[in-house]
Amino acid sequence: METENCKKTALYEKHLKRKAKMVCFAGWNMPLQYDKITTEHITVREKAGIFDVSHMGEFTIKGKSALDFLQKLVPQDISKMKEGKAVYTQLCNPSGGIIDDLIIYRLQDENNTYNFLLIVNAANTAKDFDWIIANQDDTRNATVNDVTDKYSLIALQGPEAATILNSAGIEFGNHPKKFYLIETTLRDFKCIIARTGYTGEDGFEILIKNQYAPQIWDLLTEKGEPCGLTPIGLAARDTLRLEAALPLHGNDIDEDTTPIEAGLEWSVKLDKPHYIGKEVLQKQINEGTDKIFIGFKMLTPNIPRKGCELFQEGRIIGNTTSGSIAPYLNCSIGMGYIDKSASIKPGDRIEVLIRNKKYPAEIVKRPFYKSEKR
Amino acid sequence: MSQNQEIPENILCTKTHEYVIVEGNTATIGITQYAAEQLGEIVYVELSDIDTKIPKGDSFGTVESVKAASEVYMPISGKIIEVNERLTSEPELINEDSYNLGWLIKVEGEFPPEALEEMMSMDDYLAFIED
């Protein structure tokens, strides 16, 4: 339900015009769905979808010490990033727990010095900002700003996304590569186009000042229509990310789970100076963790949800953190944590407790779905 | 998402958005069009077995949308004599035609007027959901 106390994005009127079902999410009035969730989901897998994700938080960190500051905040090695690069990482607490996960973008230097953009989860924006500020030692040589309310973020995702961006005026040759960005113009409006997303498809995320967002939304919608592009709501965004086995903060990862436990070890670097949480993460990499993140596929049509207990040979071994039908795969899937003593090879059987009954499931490799085009 | 469906005569609705259509000793039970719209696209239905006796107010199954699972409750006491098998492969019938093809169960029992007293006519129900 739409509520009065929720903020409106610059694209709010566009959603009402398309008769979206609106919800208040993380303090923002957001489109939950415009059409059937499964239809929207399949449109993104087969054609393309456009998403208003302006609720996401955006911070800039600029200045001479911005690099050292970020190096201290996240387990990724930011020193390896050139201008125009993006990386997925986390903000960890001293126990290695994930305060939030985010993407850091290195923009073109400004005044001969570092210029970073951070895109964080909407529900965590205020908490993240406080954490970053609280951990800043050198306030003279790095400036942190929350620019969430000034910018809109439009995601264009799906196999046709690149073609649509091309017809909107960005030539293929100028497209950023996966996990890179370009600073360019669309219809003469300055914008940042990054080849990132949260759907498991090829696609782009476009950051643009609020006042230009409605025109860019219209431009992309118009250019995308011949390819079958439609607007997509938050509900399908969630099923898309789950099929792609991308973790959702607050469900699959939180302050009590580390990136190592969550299977995100690839994004944790030890060969860099000290950072918050490093000792714990180093120990877990060397010695292993007590719980292991897994994906499973139901062997019956029952739908697992967050918080279902998982069993193996009658013994409780863990809990689900996400679960849903997988509209593109035509089955039910889930992710969760299980004890290291359990047998978790792909193909191993587990049971999922759903409303007091156990149903069979099979451990499968993540992601559940992988785009051929990526 | 839902079309204008034909609304059967003698339909009675509950505050928890189930409906019942009584014909002698049998009754057809389902969820209202409004409930189906609120749930969104229904993708899975789980119903109690035939021959189960369930008292009024107890759950007789679960209706699941992409986002959530919702229990459905008996508006009257009765024994299940039929479940809508079509919903196994076509759960969307609940969204498309909740009062006809999208029924959930048929029960057998005694349904004296007192048993139906707390329920609302369709007109009263529509006024109730307006509030």
Side-chain angles (χ1 to χ4, degrees), chain A residues 284-303:
Chain A
Q284 288 188 343
I285 287 175
N286 293 336
E287 297 171 15
T289 58
D290 291 340
K291 56 180 184 180
I292 295 163
F293 195 56
I294 53 107
F296 63 86
K297 179 184 155 182
M298 297 299 297
L299 299 174
T300 62
N302 306 78
I303 306 169

Side-chain angles (χ1 to χ4, degrees), chain B residues 88-101:
Chain B
T88 311
S89 55
E90 299 169 273
E92 64 273 17
L93 288 175
I94 300 173
N95 294 106
E96 290 163 5
D97 192 12
S98 59
Y99 299 127
N100 301 291
L101 297 176

